[in-house]
Amino acid sequence: MEAFVASAPLFVETLRGRVLRNGLCKPLSSDQLQLCMALAVYRDGVSPRTLCNLLFPEMDPQAAMGRLKVSVHGVRAHLGPESIVFFHDSYRFSAGGFTSDLELIESLLAGTPGDGCDLVPVSEAIANLSQPLPKFYASWSWFGPVEERIACLARDAARLVRPREGRRANLA
């Protein structure tokens, strides 16, 4: 997302469906990408059982747990061994080691820019919010609430920018 420059080594671009490490897009499998998106959404941590239910609802629990472990191992291989930690019976991204576009947009709209981030005008963030989401999200049954969150952010951002754009038009 060009609208933000994040200081965290991992940046999850939910709006584009990709994960960056030190500014470089990392190639992840479908399962690995879905795991990263889930960890970004459930940033305080999520139990392995819950992750299995979210990511692999059609599988029996034992097979789902195996698939989750393979995904965690793959993400660590691509993003670094410290990228995902298991803490208090939950998987999560390492503390302070990641941020996401949605988190930054939320902090921008709340008037509390995220720590260590350079923010550009709200209108650029709105442009990113108004772009279509990657099509593969449609196959993720758990992603519906995230799409609703994105739609709410887009509406909030549009309300914030409209009065400013009107003032500029009146000055011209």
Side-chain angles (χ1 to χ4, degrees):
M1 173 177 222
E2 283 88 37
F4 300 108
V5 177
S7 63
L10 293 180
F11 189 67
V12 178
E13 288 188 322
T14 310
L15 298 174
R16 292 191 179 168
R18 63 186 194 167
V19 179
L20 289 85
R21 169 114 181 138
N22 297 323
L24 300 174
C25 184
K26 298 308 247 177
L28 299 172
S29 72
S30 172
D31 286 353
Q32 293 164 358
L33 181 60
Q34 190 171 188
L35 172 62
C36 287
M37 293 299 165
L39 293 177
V41 169
Y42 298 95
R43 70 175 295 117
D44 292 329
V46 59
S47 74
R49 173 181 274 167
T50 301
L51 278 171
C52 287
N53 290 337
L54 286 172
L55 307 181
F56 316 115
E58 72 289 345
M59 296 180 78
D60 74 79
Q62 189 173 5
M65 189 62 68
R67 192 166 167 183
L68 175 64
K69 288 179 181 180
V70 168
S71 296
V72 169
H73 177 76
V75 168
R76 286 176 173 158
H78 285 289
L79 302 180
E82 74 291 346
S83 59
I84 295 178
V85 296
F86 190 73
F87 185 71
H88 292 293
D89 298 323
S90 294
Y91 283 112
R92 67 186 74 213
F93 281 122
S94 59
F98 97 100
T99 193
S100 74
D101 51 0
L102 297 185
E103 180 183 32
L104 292 176
I105 291 168
E106 286 173 338
S107 65
L108 173 65
L109 292 174
T112 56
D115 189 30
C117 298
D118 298 321
L119 302 175
V120 298
V122 177
S123 59
E124 290 185 37
I126 291 171
N128 288 318
L129 282 168
S130 65
Q131 296 301 312
L133 292 172
K135 293 181 193 288
F136 56 80
Y137 285 150
S139 66
W140 297 359
S141 60
W142 65 272
F143 201 75
V146 180
E147 289 177 309
E148 292 172 20
R149 176 178 164 200
I150 291 168
C152 286
L153 287 173
R155 284 190 300 272
D156 291 348
R159 279 194 294 268
L160 185 64
V161 168
R162 272 191 211 115
R164 291 180 183 169
E165 289 174 351
R167 277 182 279 187
R168 275 188 245 140
N170 290 337
L171 295 175

